[in-house]
Amino acid sequence: MSTPNSNTPPRGAVAALVAAFLGWLFDGFEMGLFPLIGKPALQDLLPGATSIVQGQWFTVIIAVFLVGAATGGVLFGWLGDKLGRVKAMTLAIFTYAIFSGLCAFVTEAWHFAGLRFVASLGMGGEWALGVALVNEIWGGKNRAWIAGMIGAASNIGFLLTGLISWQLNASLEIVTGWIHAMGLSPENTEYLLHNRAWRFIAVSSALPALINFFILVFVPESHKWEEEKKSGGTSHWATMDLLGVLIACVAALVITYAWSPIRAGWISNPVAGVITVVGMIVALWGYLHPIRQYMSRSLAAGSVNTTDRGIIMRNLLLGAALAAVALLGTWGSAQQAARWASDLAPKDSTLPIIDYVVIATALGAILVTLITPLVADKLGRRITYTLLCIAALASALYFFQNNKPFTGDTTPMSLIISSFVLGGITASFYGFFPLYFPELFPTSVRATGQGFCFNFGRLIAAIGALQLGNLMTLFSPDKIGVVQSAANAYSVLSCIYVVGMVLVWFAPETKGHTIQ
């Protein structure tokens, strides 16, 4: 492995890598939190609701999270390009840690949705900032290795959620004793540990805020960003442009409301469809507004030419579309896998199916995300992305169509193996994007550009995830059962990978390119 850029002291470069790795790890922990604790949480928060209504809320909270991540990607990306990578990253980590921890104290489902929205602002931002910082500091031949670490780190965090839940529920008596020894009353202990200890797990998600002390003391700023600041490039960002991001966020939330179980009675599916089309146009305009304004000022100042501006805008749209395919596939399959698989076991089963599936998918994701960037460096970006789409579609169809309800007191090995494969293949894109997206943008707009591409894809994924309920009704759950109708819906949604197989060939091939 080659050394980091000579403009950054080796110790500082290592500190930046460690900080970003931990940020990505806990970002993955926070993202994996709701798929793990969502079902028991909604059972407590919606005690009189049917499993279908709880499932609808599950999807809505995921959608709100994705909208927040889309907004946070642009917002914190803007802060990273304007104020610096390190300052913005510390704020992003603080945001996602504290507001995830507060989820432990919610009393209504919409409280959970609101806090997850704010937390996801930081999660969406941290990804773009960490990728920009580490790529700019290390660069060169390390980039494939760094991209693999990014993907693996977030999935290690996802694995951590499953391990904590598994061990916590296996050792509740010991944990209860520890909490009592700390002076907490039996009533409060029961409050924290009730129903698979989902509140206790949520509280633990506030701990990543401690990373900021390390970042502020040891992590240097990107030398490329500092050079951009000295040249005056950062002065072309204006706070007033963030109004577009706010408008986009409101439009995205309106779309979410239009498909939610609490929407007004006059909002039929056709009306929701119209709202979605209009809302997507407004959201696209709003999220792109800060970048368009920046490019206009840079063009007037002579720091960018018309050709470069056109390339950047084209790459923004293509990058967002490629991310949307991967994210919609993930949130429509792998992120639903644990909750869906838990319904395969007998109703009186005590098997921790959710924990098993979360752990298996995370282990698969860690392995494959490490390998994917190395493959992309050998085969090229377009071929690799195409192969990933083919493999992801096959793994999703196999998982949802071949795993069936089972009896007995052991988890079928086929479920664990197919979970491992599903998690690995569908997560492989998150090792690919940290390699590819930095190559699409210059330093001046890298954090904002990456934030838009990766996280606008989350908005499209949110809209797609909200259609799961409608898709399920198409497959007659009354005739074939809720489990099979859900499997069919997830399978249909996974066909989005076919779009990716075509779309990537309109994107630039950047194999061998260096970071500008």
Side-chain angles (χ1 to χ4, degrees):
M1 186 180 69
S2 58
T3 57
N5 191 287
S6 59
N7 291 326
T8 303
R11 188 171 297 178
V14 172
L17 182 58
V18 170
F21 182 87
L22 291 175
W24 297 321
L25 187 154
F26 287 112
D27 199 341
F29 180 85
E30 309 291 1
M31 283 191 289
L33 187 70
F34 185 71
L36 181 73
I37 69 173
K39 186 174 182 178
L42 290 172
Q43 288 172 344
D44 285 353
L45 300 175
L46 300 168
T50 64
S51 60
I52 293 177
V53 172
Q54 291 175 1
Q56 289 174 329
W57 269 103
F58 188 94
T59 302
V60 167
I61 293 174
I62 283 179
V64 169
F65 167 86
L66 292 170
V67 170
T71 305
V74 179
L75 173 62
F76 282 96
W78 180 92
L79 286 171
D81 284 331
K82 173 70 175 177
L83 303 179
R85 314 314 195 200
V86 173
K87 290 179 181 178
M89 188 164 69
T90 56
L91 182 58
I93 292 173
F94 179 84
T95 300
Y96 78 59
I98 297 302
F99 284 91
S100 290
L102 290 174
C103 288
F105 307 103
V106 299
T107 57
E108 301 284 347
W110 68 269
H111 295 169
F112 210 135
L115 289 173
R116 284 291 284 175
F117 171 79
V118 179
S120 66
L121 293 173
M123 291 181 226
E126 198 280 332
W127 186 90
L129 295 164
V131 170
L133 177 66
V134 175
N135 270 279
E136 290 167 3
I137 286 181
W138 285 79
K141 297 179 181 178
N142 296 295
R143 293 192 51 254
W145 177 76
I146 292 293
M149 285 192 64
I150 293 171
S154 59
N155 286 294
I156 290 171
F158 196 75
L159 171 64
L160 193 58
T161 61
L163 291 175
I164 289 176
S165 176
W166 183 30
Q167 292 302 312
L168 182 63
N169 285 283
S171 312
L172 275 180
E173 291 186 5
I174 297 174
V175 175
T176 301
W178 289 347
I179 294 177
H180 283 165
M182 294 168 60
L184 205 65
S185 68
E187 293 78 12
N188 288 331
T189 302
E190 169 63 19
Y191 178 79
L192 284 176
L193 300 181
H194 174 69
N195 200 354
R196 297 182 57 82
W198 69 268
R199 293 186 188 273
F200 185 84
I201 296 172
V203 167
S204 68
S205 65
L207 293 176
L210 299 175
I211 301 172
N212 283 339
F213 293 106
F214 173 81
I215 295 175
L216 292 172
V217 173
F218 296 106
V219 178
E221 185 53 82
S222 161
H223 64 280
K224 285 184 176 289
W225 179 84
E226 289 179 330
E227 290 170 1
E228 189 68 28
K229 182 180 179 181
K230 289 178 182 178
S231 69
T234 60
S235 64
H236 300 314
W237 296 104
T239 304
M240 69 179 71
D241 298 340
L242 292 179
L243 179 61
V245 179
L246 176 61
I247 293 172
C249 179
V250 172
L253 289 174
V254 169
I255 295 172
T256 303
Y257 172 76
W259 292 105
S260 75
I262 60 172
R263 69 185 183 183
W266 60 270
I267 303 180
S268 61
N269 283 355
V271 172
V274 173
I275 291 173
T276 299
V277 172
V278 175
M280 281 295 292
I281 294 172
V282 173
L284 181 61
W285 172 88
Y287 286 133
L288 282 174
H289 182 68
I291 303 176
R292 286 199 313 272
Q293 294 299 100
Y294 173 87
M295 297 299 292
S296 295
R297 297 186 190 103
S298 298
L299 188 63
S303 55
V304 68
N305 58 49
T306 304
T307 301
D308 289 340
R309 179 187 182 184
I311 292 173
I312 289 172
M313 298 305 295
R314 181 174 181 269
N315 287 349
L316 283 166
L317 297 176
L318 284 169
L322 293 175
V325 168
L327 286 158
L328 182 54
T330 299
W331 290 93
S333 58
Q335 290 287 349
Q336 306 284 344
R339 179 177 175 276
W340 177 80
S342 69
D343 292 331
L344 299 179
K347 289 186 177 180
D348 58 348
S349 174
T350 58
L351 290 171
I353 300 295
I354 292 178
D355 297 340
Y356 290 161
V357 173
V358 167
I359 291 170
T361 53
L363 286 172
I366 292 167
L367 175 63
V368 181
T369 49
L370 280 170
I371 297 171
T372 300
L374 303 176
V375 174
D377 249 10
K378 294 291 184 183
L379 301 182
R381 309 325 187 218
R382 290 171 172 173
I383 292 177
T384 300
Y385 185 91
T386 303
L387 293 175
L388 295 180
C389 285
I390 294 171
L393 176 58
S395 66
L397 292 178
Y398 182 87
F399 180 87
F400 288 109
Q401 296 302 323
N402 285 272
N403 287 304
K404 304 295 181 182
F406 61 90
T407 58
D409 56 359
T410 58
T411 304
M413 185 55 63
S414 59
L415 176 61
I416 303 301
I417 294 174
S418 59
S419 297
F420 178 87
V421 175
L422 176 72
I425 301 300
T426 57
S428 60
F429 298 94
Y430 311 123
F432 174 83
F433 290 138
L435 177 70
Y436 187 49
F437 284 169
E439 298 167 344
L440 299 181
F441 307 104
T443 299
S444 58
V445 296
R446 180 165 293 123
T448 309
Q450 290 177 165
F452 170 80
C453 286
F454 190 75
N455 291 295
F456 189 78
R458 280 175 162 158
L459 173 58
I460 299 175
I463 296 171
L466 286 167
Q467 305 311 309
L468 284 171
N470 293 326
L471 283 173
M472 285 179 63
T473 61
L474 293 177
F475 295 105
S476 305
D478 293 336
K479 295 181 179 180
I480 63 176
V482 173
V483 173
Q484 186 58 47
S485 65
N488 293 344
Y490 300 147
S491 298
V492 168
L493 204 57
S494 297
C495 291
I496 189 64
Y497 289 118
V498 176
V499 176
M501 297 174 202
V502 177
L503 192 63
V504 71
W505 295 96
F506 294 92
E509 175 57 69
T510 57
K511 179 183 177 182
H513 289 199
T514 56
I515 295 294
Q516 300 177 34

